[in-house]
Amino acid sequence: MNITPLTWIITIGVTIAFFAYEFFAHVRKPHEPTVGESARWSAFYIGLALLFGVGIGVVSGWRYGGEYFAGYLTEKALSIDNLFVFLIVMAAFSVPKAYQQKVLMFGIIIALIMRGGFIAVGAALIENFSWVFYLFGALLFVLAYMQVRGHDSNPADNLFVRLARRVLPVTEEYDRDKLTTKINGKRYVTPMLLTIIAIGFIDLVFAIDSIPAIYGLTSEAYIVFTANAFALMGLRQLFFLIGGLLERLVYLSQGLAVILAFIGLKLVFHALHVNEVPFINGGEPVLWVPEIPIWFSLVFIAATVTVATVASLAKTRGDAAKADRGRVDGEPIAKAEDSH
């Protein structure tokens, strides 16, 4: 895939322009988006991402188009998991609904910048060291295990937040959507800034998940960047659109664990296929190991996301039905006790 410097410049410029438009058109004035507004913009960004993938397939070939779609789907699923943690953080800091857009916007921009850095580092490592595929594969197995365990720690009480509380004067009150405020002539940091710091730390952690995962599907830095950019675009609207649904995706972590483990296995297979490590097969490629084709990866990832979503909704619906039956069955008992 031949990507010229001009193509990179245009792509990055258009990405920045989209986020600038988002800020000035929707985020600058604090408000809680309606479901209709969130649905329209979510559909727009998802449609744009799909059109871009078709464009890659038509211009550069459907091998690259398939890699883009597999990468986009994986990054979108990881981004939704990211939203779940954002929800926990904003609840912990009691961020008013009208100001949540600004927090999300800053969080998404920080995420894109961090992922951009990881993409550059990952591309350089892959270009010069074939053994890095073993490292990425092992990391994804560890991350898959951590996904199964779930989010045990409090994401709103991480190292950066504790450090900020220690070195900065913090007020417990919000001053609209300002990051700092003055009280009796002294400058204080508001909980708004602490929330953004907490989300920035989360973005760092999730970048460690997402970049090795997508490099397991493609070695093209351009596809890695655009799949990440499109996965993050519209994430703010998606948060308000499926905010209530997030808590019902009870099997999302398990689904992501399966995807990460699968991509980890794919990376290890690829590492064996291009092996140069002296103590493995005498430094020679292990050619009998199969290479997993991108079409299979795309189908597997899509099927896993679908199964995790359907199973989650079925379980929460079943749990709600059981709870309703329990309340109905309990009513006659309560009435009988009242009659005594």
PDB file of all heavy atoms in Angstrom, residues 278-290:
ATOM      1  N   PRO A 278      16.761 -16.836  17.000  1.00  0.00           N
ATOM      2  CA  PRO A 278      17.693 -17.969  16.882  1.00  0.00           C
ATOM      3  C   PRO A 278      17.254 -19.233  17.611  1.00  0.00           C
ATOM      4  O   PRO A 278      17.470 -20.338  17.119  1.00  0.00           O
ATOM      5  CB  PRO A 278      19.002 -17.417  17.486  1.00  0.00           C
ATOM      6  CG  PRO A 278      18.877 -15.943  17.386  1.00  0.00           C
ATOM      7  CD  PRO A 278      17.425 -15.637  17.523  1.00  0.00           C
ATOM      8  N   PHE A 279      16.638 -19.099  18.808  1.00  0.00           N
ATOM      9  CA  PHE A 279      16.313 -20.289  19.589  1.00  0.00           C
ATOM     10  C   PHE A 279      14.964 -20.914  19.210  1.00  0.00           C
ATOM     11  O   PHE A 279      14.506 -21.855  19.846  1.00  0.00           O
ATOM     12  CB  PHE A 279      16.349 -19.988  21.099  1.00  0.00           C
ATOM     13  CG  PHE A 279      15.450 -18.871  21.533  1.00  0.00           C
ATOM     14  CD1 PHE A 279      14.109 -19.084  21.772  1.00  0.00           C
ATOM     15  CD2 PHE A 279      15.962 -17.586  21.709  1.00  0.00           C
ATOM     16  CE1 PHE A 279      13.276 -18.056  22.172  1.00  0.00           C
ATOM     17  CE2 PHE A 279      15.138 -16.554  22.113  1.00  0.00           C
ATOM     18  CZ  PHE A 279      13.796 -16.786  22.358  1.00  0.00           C
ATOM     19  N   ILE A 280      14.312 -20.387  18.162  1.00  0.00           N
ATOM     20  CA  ILE A 280      13.077 -20.987  17.647  1.00  0.00           C
ATOM     21  C   ILE A 280      13.354 -21.490  16.233  1.00  0.00           C
ATOM     22  O   ILE A 280      13.641 -20.693  15.319  1.00  0.00           O
ATOM     23  CB  ILE A 280      11.906 -19.972  17.642  1.00  0.00           C
ATOM     24  CG1 ILE A 280      11.582 -19.511  19.066  1.00  0.00           C
ATOM     25  CG2 ILE A 280      10.669 -20.592  16.989  1.00  0.00           C
ATOM     26  CD1 ILE A 280      10.489 -18.470  19.149  1.00  0.00           C
ATOM     27  N   ASN A 281      13.306 -22.813  16.078  1.00  0.00           N
ATOM     28  CA  ASN A 281      13.516 -23.447  14.761  1.00  0.00           C
ATOM     29  C   ASN A 281      14.839 -23.026  14.114  1.00  0.00           C
ATOM     30  O   ASN A 281      14.926 -22.878  12.891  1.00  0.00           O
ATOM     31  CB  ASN A 281      12.343 -23.120  13.822  1.00  0.00           C
ATOM     32  CG  ASN A 281      12.249 -24.079  12.649  1.00  0.00           C
ATOM     33  OD1 ASN A 281      12.498 -25.271  12.798  1.00  0.00           O
ATOM     34  ND2 ASN A 281      11.887 -23.559  11.484  1.00  0.00           N
ATOM     35  N   GLY A 282      15.846 -22.776  14.960  1.00  0.00           N
ATOM     36  CA  GLY A 282      17.162 -22.403  14.438  1.00  0.00           C
ATOM     37  C   GLY A 282      17.177 -21.070  13.697  1.00  0.00           C
ATOM     38  O   GLY A 282      18.048 -20.838  12.846  1.00  0.00           O
ATOM     39  N   GLY A 283      16.222 -20.187  14.020  1.00  0.00           N
ATOM     40  CA  GLY A 283      16.169 -18.879  13.364  1.00  0.00           C
ATOM     41  C   GLY A 283      15.507 -18.908  12.000  1.00  0.00           C
ATOM     42  O   GLY A 283      15.491 -17.892  11.290  1.00  0.00           O
ATOM     43  N   GLU A 284      14.937 -20.056  11.627  1.00  0.00           N
ATOM     44  CA  GLU A 284      14.279 -20.200  10.323  1.00  0.00           C
ATOM     45  C   GLU A 284      12.758 -20.062  10.471  1.00  0.00           C
ATOM     46  O   GLU A 284      12.198 -20.411  11.527  1.00  0.00           O
ATOM     47  CB  GLU A 284      14.610 -21.562   9.703  1.00  0.00           C
ATOM     48  CG  GLU A 284      16.079 -21.752   9.360  1.00  0.00           C
ATOM     49  CD  GLU A 284      16.560 -20.774   8.297  1.00  0.00           C
ATOM     50  OE1 GLU A 284      15.798 -20.534   7.336  1.00  0.00           O
ATOM     51  OE2 GLU A 284      17.673 -20.240   8.433  1.00  0.00           O
ATOM     52  N   PRO A 285      12.060 -19.599   9.430  1.00  0.00           N
ATOM     53  CA  PRO A 285      10.598 -19.511   9.484  1.00  0.00           C
ATOM     54  C   PRO A 285       9.953 -20.883   9.693  1.00  0.00           C
ATOM     55  O   PRO A 285      10.438 -21.892   9.175  1.00  0.00           O
ATOM     56  CB  PRO A 285      10.222 -18.936   8.111  1.00  0.00           C
ATOM     57  CG  PRO A 285      11.455 -18.242   7.635  1.00  0.00           C
ATOM     58  CD  PRO A 285      12.611 -19.022   8.187  1.00  0.00           C
ATOM     59  N   VAL A 286       8.892 -20.919  10.448  1.00  0.00           N
ATOM     60  CA  VAL A 286       8.125 -22.156  10.688  1.00  0.00           C
ATOM     61  C   VAL A 286       6.969 -22.153   9.691  1.00  0.00           C
ATOM     62  O   VAL A 286       5.879 -21.641   9.972  1.00  0.00           O
ATOM     63  CB  VAL A 286       7.610 -22.217  12.142  1.00  0.00           C
ATOM     64  CG1 VAL A 286       6.917 -23.550  12.412  1.00  0.00           C
ATOM     65  CG2 VAL A 286       8.755 -22.002  13.134  1.00  0.00           C
ATOM     66  N   LEU A 287       7.204 -22.715   8.520  1.00  0.00           N
ATOM     67  CA  LEU A 287       6.272 -22.553   7.403  1.00  0.00           C
ATOM     68  C   LEU A 287       5.038 -23.437   7.504  1.00  0.00           C
ATOM     69  O   LEU A 287       4.058 -23.195   6.790  1.00  0.00           O
ATOM     70  CB  LEU A 287       7.007 -22.817   6.085  1.00  0.00           C
ATOM     71  CG  LEU A 287       8.158 -21.847   5.768  1.00  0.00           C
ATOM     72  CD1 LEU A 287       8.847 -22.227   4.469  1.00  0.00           C
ATOM     73  CD2 LEU A 287       7.652 -20.413   5.694  1.00  0.00           C
ATOM     74  N   TRP A 288       5.077 -24.473   8.367  1.00  0.00           N
ATOM     75  CA  TRP A 288       3.903 -25.340   8.469  1.00  0.00           C
ATOM     76  C   TRP A 288       2.776 -24.680   9.276  1.00  0.00           C
ATOM     77  O   TRP A 288       1.627 -25.133   9.241  1.00  0.00           O
ATOM     78  CB  TRP A 288       4.266 -26.681   9.094  1.00  0.00           C
ATOM     79  CG  TRP A 288       4.884 -26.609  10.452  1.00  0.00           C
ATOM     80  CD1 TRP A 288       6.208 -26.599  10.750  1.00  0.00           C
ATOM     81  CD2 TRP A 288       4.189 -26.529  11.709  1.00  0.00           C
ATOM     82  NE1 TRP A 288       6.397 -26.516  12.115  1.00  0.00           N
ATOM     83  CE2 TRP A 288       5.177 -26.482  12.725  1.00  0.00           C
ATOM     84  CE3 TRP A 288       2.849 -26.508  12.081  1.00  0.00           C
ATOM     85  CZ2 TRP A 288       4.854 -26.406  14.072  1.00  0.00           C
ATOM     86  CZ3 TRP A 288       2.518 -26.427  13.420  1.00  0.00           C
ATOM     87  CH2 TRP A 288       3.511 -26.378  14.404  1.00  0.00           C
ATOM     88  N   VAL A 289       3.098 -23.604  10.010  1.00  0.00           N
ATOM     89  CA  VAL A 289       2.073 -22.891  10.787  1.00  0.00           C
ATOM     90  C   VAL A 289       1.175 -22.109   9.824  1.00  0.00           C
ATOM     91  O   VAL A 289       1.680 -21.374   8.969  1.00  0.00           O
ATOM     92  CB  VAL A 289       2.726 -21.932  11.806  1.00  0.00           C
ATOM     93  CG1 VAL A 289       1.666 -21.087  12.500  1.00  0.00           C
ATOM     94  CG2 VAL A 289       3.534 -22.711  12.824  1.00  0.00           C
ATOM     95  N   PRO A 290      -0.134 -22.246   9.941  1.00  0.00           N
ATOM     96  CA  PRO A 290      -1.026 -21.545   9.001  1.00  0.00           C
ATOM     97  C   PRO A 290      -1.066 -20.042   9.243  1.00  0.00           C
ATOM     98  O   PRO A 290      -0.929 -19.586  10.383  1.00  0.00           O
ATOM     99  CB  PRO A 290      -2.391 -22.169   9.278  1.00  0.00           C
ATOM    100  CG  PRO A 290      -2.316 -22.615  10.708  1.00  0.00           C
ATOM    101  CD  PRO A 290      -0.892 -23.037  10.932  1.00  0.00           C
TER     102      PRO A 290
END
